[in-house]
Amino acid sequence: MRQRVAWLIGAGIVLVAIGVAVLLVMTAGSRAEPSSPATATSSASVTPTRSATPTRSATPTRTPTPTATPTPTARPGTALVTRGEGGTVRMLVAGDSLAAGFFASQKDRGFTSLVADAVGPVEMTTAAQAHQTLTTVAAITDVPDDLGLAVIELGTNDVGLPTPVADFEQQYVGLLDRIRASSPKAALVCLGTWTSDGAAYDEAIARTCAARGGVYVGLADAFSTSAYHGPEGRDSFAGTGDYFHPNDTGHRAIADGVLKALTY
């Protein structure tokens, strides 16, 4: 009997001890600090957040107005070459043997061809007569409409004849006025005489050309440069070259003078 009572008392003590332990564990769990967000783990899956559909502005976006291409203007002291459809330049050259390329080694090394190649593409009209004066060349010059560039190289043979300066100037004015009547916007370049004796003619050329919006290019300095002549007897496309007419280097110098007078 005593033994059974002792067993019951021992079992009760154990049960009480277990109950106390459970109570302590539950109390400790309720007081525990929550896990730090940085170290806490979760088995719950996260649903991705969809981007909000952008709202359409009530005011339509305006298309920027294109900036207009500025009209080209000539650099100071130069004439502006005007171009036609496709960028082609209608070009007129009126002159004597220099304009014909005498006595460059090849025709495409004459100053007329060099200028055309640089300005190009061109639609060329050439009126060039060797050993002829302004009167003769002007008479055969057919001035096209809508020229973009006109180069006049006349007067050298008038110096040698000589043509009276007043008559020369009157005829020169007539040729320039024909060009301006058909092509008021054409770039106009007037070359001086290829000689050291043409100062009076050069002055008339420069004055009448400037009065019509052209640019004068003197040739006296180039003529006085010995490297631009000869040697006499050289081969050329136009026959045996003399010392008077420019060689390839001289034609290059004349072409460079014309090109410096242009904006193209």
Side-chain angles (χ1 to χ4, degrees), residues 77-125:
T78 67
L80 176 65
V81 175
T82 57
R83 298 183 182 274
E85 185 176 353
T88 300
V89 178
R90 303 192 75 181
M91 179 176 172
L92 168 68
V93 177
D96 48 38
S97 54
L98 270 70
F102 287 30
F103 279 108
S105 60
Q106 299 175 27
K107 189 173 181 63
D108 62 3
R109 294 186 178 180
F111 87 84
T112 296
S113 295
L114 296 174
V115 170
D117 288 345
V119 172
V122 301
E123 181 182 318
M124 178 75 77
T125 298

Side-chain angles (χ1 to χ4, degrees), residues 1-15:
M1 183 69 176
R2 288 180 180 177
Q3 187 176 7
R4 183 178 179 182
V5 171
W7 183 86
L8 291 173
I9 293 172
I13 293 172
V14 171
L15 290 174

Side-chain angles (χ1 to χ4, degrees), residues 94-95 133-135 138 150-156 158 163-180 188-193 201-210 212 214-217:
T133 63
L134 166 62
T135 302
V151 179
I152 311 302
E153 179 274 310
L154 287 165
T156 300
D158 291 276
T163 302
V165 175
D167 293 345
F168 172 84
E169 182 171 350
Q170 182 179 9
Q171 295 166 13
Y172 202 88
V173 166
L175 178 58
L176 297 191
D177 285 348
R178 286 168 57 199
I179 293 171
R180 277 291 174 241
L188 176 62
V189 177
C190 305
L191 300 182
T193 58
Y201 296 84
D202 290 344
E203 195 278 330
I205 292 170
R207 182 176 62 254
T208 57
C209 190
R212 287 152 184 82
V215 179
Y216 169 75
V217 176

